[in-house]
Amino acid sequence: MSAPKNVAQHVLARLAEWGVHRFYGYPGDGIGGLFTALPEREDAEFVQVRHEETAAFAACADVKYGGSPIGCCAVTGGPGAVHALNGLYDAKLDHQPVVALLGHTAQTAQGGGYYQEVDLGALFSDVAGYLAEVKDASQVRHVVDRACRTALADRTVTVIILPSDVLEQDAVVEPPDAHGYYHTSAVPSSHVTTPPEAALDAAAEVLNAGEKVAILAGAGALGSSAVLTEVANTLGAGMATALLGKGVVDERSPWVTGAIGLLGTTASWHLMRECDTLLIVGSTMPYTEYYPAPGQARAVQIDVDGARCGIRYDTEVNLTGDAGATLAALLPRLRGHDPSWRAQVERWTSAWDDYSRQRAHAHTSALNPELVVRELSDRLPDDALLAVDCGTATSWYARDVTLHGSQYGTLSGTLLSMGGGMPYAIAAKNAHPDRPVVALIGDGAMQMNGVNELITVARYRHRWSDPRFVVLVLSNDDLSYVSWETRGMLGEAPDPQSQAIPDVPYAQWAMLLGLDGIELREREHIGAVWDRALAADRPFVVDAKVDKDVPLVPPHVTIQQALNTARSQLSGDTDVLDIIANGIKETVGAKARSVLGLPPQE
């Protein structure tokens, strides 16, 4: 490829040396020079989305799904840059390396109140681990190198601001050998691997001394499934997973208690509240009330970032290092434990599984959303990728989807932003066009950006060797997760003016775009609809009309939560009868059938 002629070409060429070859974005005159340079590169792929927020979300997700070592979004300045901010916070909070290329007002006009002029330095100062504006062509090399190096080393967001007039300047590929210039490297830095021997010995002493060991695994443990399983088996431990760590090991294993926290399982609650030793691997799950009680357990934590150790629980030994390498170094130091604890953990898991199955099969006024998701889980291809939005979809994903093999799912896990599901799904498909992708999205998020991003799906679907791209819309005409928060946390009845949303024919919209879809209303049709969707020769939307009044019961209900929910029913909640009926079926009824060993109600 010929040498770069201008700054825009030089930026792309230097990014390519760092492995950045896919750009999500939307054009504008502030960054127009970059978009005229993109088609000239055979190694660059541009994905035009419908909104700059989607571009930033997708750049983050592209890394999560293993598509790129560094995610990249390219958007214009002013309003385009403002739009991208939310998706970049998703990357920052979930520790994903993303470089944002932001167009900007020409230098000659800056400070003059020009159209779309925004102080990007001030606006992005919090989200960016490194931020620089290229004001001279000789800066490109060291600014791009430092942005990429910082993004990888700190697993964070970095921002490069590119004024429109600077993009057109002649490239300076080799800066002068003179004072005030830099000659930098495009070689990534090495990573922290294993802690010192003494620290490993201290951790082993704590873990070996325990009789009832629990493991909490998060996103930092992904990719370490085999050695993590060996450690768990050696210690006879039970394992709970944080939301971003879901699927870190085979979730069919009887000692895996499932999700933890508000969306977690009763098995995970018992595991944490009855263990005497805790091993935290790559997680900073923030709900401290779901950890062991203070002083209950001795604890060891493993994290690649030492600053994240000991910030959720009073840990005794903190190991800074790569999860897989550290676990492998720790394993020979561990000894076997009494199997009685593991047996107890498996009984808790079995009891939860029975109860969860009964909940899913409980008859509700409209479709039971748990049954819709559970029937999907049973049919997921072994190599499926899941993209999940935030809301009730997150709850059913956490509790009713069982991941195993090479299946993988993720979402906006710390920012918990609505509107991430469809951008994540698009990124997953671009990262792996030969694998099936399934998105789980509530109707609120679907209306927020999903309906528009179906246009993006329609535009790029012909690039995908595997046509399967399935979107489940959990449609209940209500922002139901917030409605349940209003009941449980505030003790108030949800206001229909803020909570009710319009009924939209999502499947029909998909078909207008040349995709396929179906409206799902009948319980007996769930399995057949999933079979059809997962065999479709084009992207497919399942518009499932689900019951909004299925209770989101946490694994441990506090007295205050119960009182608040009860109080909300006395304050004029229009759904009171359905809530009571579903609550009895999904909690009391399902629990009773589980205890009595009765089969689920069909």
Side-chain angles (χ1 to χ4, degrees), residues 504-566:
V504 173
Y506 305 102
Q508 293 179 43
W509 168 237
M511 288 186 278
L512 282 174
L513 295 173
L515 312 179
D516 202 354
I518 192 170
E519 185 178 277
L520 174 60
R521 289 185 178 272
E522 302 300 326
R523 177 188 179 95
E524 59 270 21
H525 296 163
I526 295 174
V529 166
W530 278 127
D531 290 339
R532 177 180 164 186
L534 291 168
D537 64 353
R538 65 194 63 199
F540 195 104
V541 172
V542 177
D543 182 4
K545 303 301 183 182
V546 298
D547 199 317
K548 69 179 183 297
D549 296 323
V550 172
L552 297 177
V553 181
H556 176 71
V557 181
T558 67
I559 293 176
Q560 189 60 53
Q561 288 169 332
L563 288 174
N564 285 345
T565 303

Side-chain angles (χ1 to χ4, degrees), residues 175-304:
D177 182 13
H179 180 73
Y181 294 92
Y182 299 103
H183 293 261
T184 53
S185 164
V187 178
S189 305
S190 65
H191 294 289
V192 175
T193 53
T194 56
E197 296 289 320
L200 292 166
D201 291 339
E205 185 279 321
V206 172
L207 297 172
N208 289 332
E211 296 181 355
K212 298 183 289 185
V213 182
I215 298 174
L216 170 57
L222 293 171
S224 306
S225 176
V227 67
L228 184 57
T229 300
E230 284 191 74
V231 167
N233 286 335
T234 300
L235 294 171
M239 182 186 300
T241 55
L243 193 56
L244 287 174
K246 183 174 172 63
V248 66
V249 296
D250 191 331
E251 293 192 306
R252 298 171 299 184
S253 303
W255 46 271
V256 176
T257 60
I260 192 173
L262 285 171
L263 310 182
T265 70
T266 56
S268 292
W269 168 262
H270 288 305
L271 174 71
M272 290 294 153
R273 285 289 155 159
E274 298 197 27
C275 69
D276 62 15
T277 308
L278 175 63
L279 172 60
I280 306 170
V281 185
S283 173
T284 54
M285 193 278 295
Y287 293 134
T288 55
E289 68 270 30
Y290 289 94
Y291 285 83
Q296 170 192 320
R298 301 178 71 187
V300 173
Q301 186 164 357
I302 300 171
D303 203 290
V304 72

Side-chain angles (χ1 to χ4, degrees), residues 251-518:
E251 293 192 306
R252 298 171 299 184
S253 303
W255 46 271
V256 176
T257 60
I260 192 173
L262 285 171
L263 310 182
T265 70
T266 56
S268 292
W269 168 262
H270 288 305
L271 174 71
M272 290 294 153
R273 285 289 155 159
E274 298 197 27
C275 69
D276 62 15
T277 308
L278 175 63
L279 172 60
I280 306 170
V281 185
S283 173
T284 54
M285 193 278 295
Y287 293 134
T288 55
E289 68 270 30
Y290 289 94
Y291 285 83
Q296 170 192 320
R298 301 178 71 187
V300 173
Q301 186 164 357
I302 300 171
D303 203 290
V304 72
D305 182 354
R308 294 203 291 266
C309 289
I311 62 173
R312 303 293 188 232
Y313 195 74
D314 187 5
T315 48
E316 190 170 331
V317 180
N318 295 314
L319 302 176
T320 303
D322 171 78
T326 301
L327 289 168
L330 191 59
L331 183 59
R333 295 169 162 84
L334 304 178
R335 58 173 174 78
H337 283 55
D338 186 331
S340 60
W341 167 247
R342 172 69 75 87
Q344 175 61 64
V345 172
E346 293 181 0
R347 286 192 291 272
W348 287 327
T349 302
S350 178
W352 166 262
D353 288 344
D354 289 342
Y355 171 49
S356 182
R357 187 166 58 254
Q358 295 285 357
R359 277 179 54 92
H361 283 84
H363 287 261
T364 52
S365 302
L367 283 177
N368 188 326
E370 292 199 78
L371 184 60
V372 174
V373 174
R374 184 173 279 265
E375 290 288 309
L376 165 65
S377 180
D378 292 341
R379 291 170 169 80
L380 277 176
D382 289 341
D383 60 344
L385 297 170
L386 278 77
V388 186
D389 219 297
C390 293
T392 54
T394 317
S395 302
W396 314 139
Y397 164 71
R399 292 181 168 184
D400 294 299
V401 172
T402 301
L403 297 178
H404 57 86
S406 62
Q407 294 172 349
Y408 174 63
T410 190
L411 73 162
S412 173
T414 309
L415 186 62
L416 289 172
S417 174
M418 284 178 63
M422 190 66 82
Y424 270 52
I426 291 169
K429 200 64 176 179
N430 284 318
H432 301 282
D434 58 342
R435 294 176 65 174
V437 170
V438 180
L440 279 59
I441 302 177
D443 49 1
M446 195 66 183
Q447 291 182 21
M448 184 175 284
N449 64 356
V451 288
N452 282 340
E453 293 306 337
L454 279 179
I455 300 171
T456 307
V457 172
R459 175 172 182 168
Y460 291 110
R461 71 182 181 92
H462 300 291
R463 292 184 179 183
W464 305 333
S465 55
D466 185 325
R468 291 174 292 178
F469 185 103
V470 182
V471 179
L472 167 64
V473 183
L474 293 165
S475 180
N476 55 22
D477 304 335
D478 187 76
L479 298 175
S480 51
Y481 195 94
V482 179
S483 294
W484 281 106
E485 287 179 323
T486 302
R487 295 181 181 107
M489 298 174 68
L490 302 179
E492 298 291 338
D495 181 2
Q497 293 185 85
S498 64
Q499 298 307 111
I501 59 175
D503 183 13
V504 173
Y506 305 102
Q508 293 179 43
W509 168 237
M511 288 186 278
L512 282 174
L513 295 173
L515 312 179
D516 202 354
I518 192 170

